[in-house]
Amino acid sequence: MIQIYQRCLLKPARRWFGSDNSLWVLQEDNDPKHRSRACTEWKRENGIRTLNWPSQSPDANPIENVWAAMKVKLREKRVYNVKQLTRHIRQIWRSLPEIMAENLAESMPKRCQAIIDNDGDWTTY
């Protein structure tokens, strides 16, 4: 997980926000790998703030929409081994339109309000 943080979190965050990690907040669920002692310590040592977030809450995690779209596209592929699966996943990830991420990010205030309005229960997201 720490390697993923270094390559896929810090590099883009620094590109977008510069070296000041206080300008952004990491949203991740309460999956045990995110809460592990090593990951928690690494985030603390690197000044990464996290947003408290409920576990297993697809309403609150727009990445679930991304995974669903990727699964649909992956079903169209023939996969015979892990190497092919990895290649297809990377190709699909790279093909996702940037506007999809923008729309999902912009939907967060409405998602959060829907969760509040439903007292934390299921929403239409």
Side-chain angles (χ1 to χ4, degrees):
M1 226 17 250
I2 290 171
Q3 289 177 348
I4 292 171
Y5 288 145
Q6 289 170 330
R7 285 190 323 219
C8 303
L9 172 67
L10 278 186
K11 285 183 181 180
R14 287 189 175 138
R15 194 168 49 242
W16 295 325
F17 300 103
S19 61
D20 185 357
N21 289 347
S22 70
L23 298 176
W24 56 275
V25 177
L26 175 63
Q27 175 200 338
E28 56 187 359
D29 62 19
N30 287 318
D31 188 292
K33 68 181 167 280
H34 300 144
R35 294 180 296 132
S36 73
R37 185 176 309 160
C39 287
T40 301
E41 187 173 316
W42 185 90
K43 288 181 274 191
R44 184 185 51 74
E45 289 171 357
N46 286 277
I48 296 173
R49 296 177 303 142
T50 58
L51 181 64
N52 288 333
W53 210 256
S55 59
Q56 299 180 345
S57 180
D59 300 341
N61 292 306
I63 193 68
E64 297 300 329
N65 298 85
V66 176
W67 301 143
M70 289 182 68
K71 286 177 186 177
V72 167
K73 291 181 180 237
L74 189 58
R75 285 188 194 108
E76 300 169 359
K77 309 287 184 186
R78 290 183 182 244
V79 178
Y80 298 102
N81 56 49
V82 174
K83 187 176 180 178
Q84 285 180 340
L85 176 62
T86 303
R87 185 170 32 92
H88 287 310
I89 290 171
R90 286 184 175 146
Q91 287 172 343
I92 292 167
W93 179 262
R94 289 182 188 123
S95 74
L96 294 173
E98 192 172 311
I99 190 74
M100 181 181 197
E102 292 171 9
N103 289 340
L104 289 169
E106 289 173 3
S107 75
M108 287 310 299
K110 288 182 181 178
R111 288 172 183 271
C112 291
Q113 190 59 54
I115 293 167
I116 291 167
D117 292 346
N118 287 324
D119 295 321
D121 203 355
W122 179 89
T123 73
T124 57
Y125 285 98

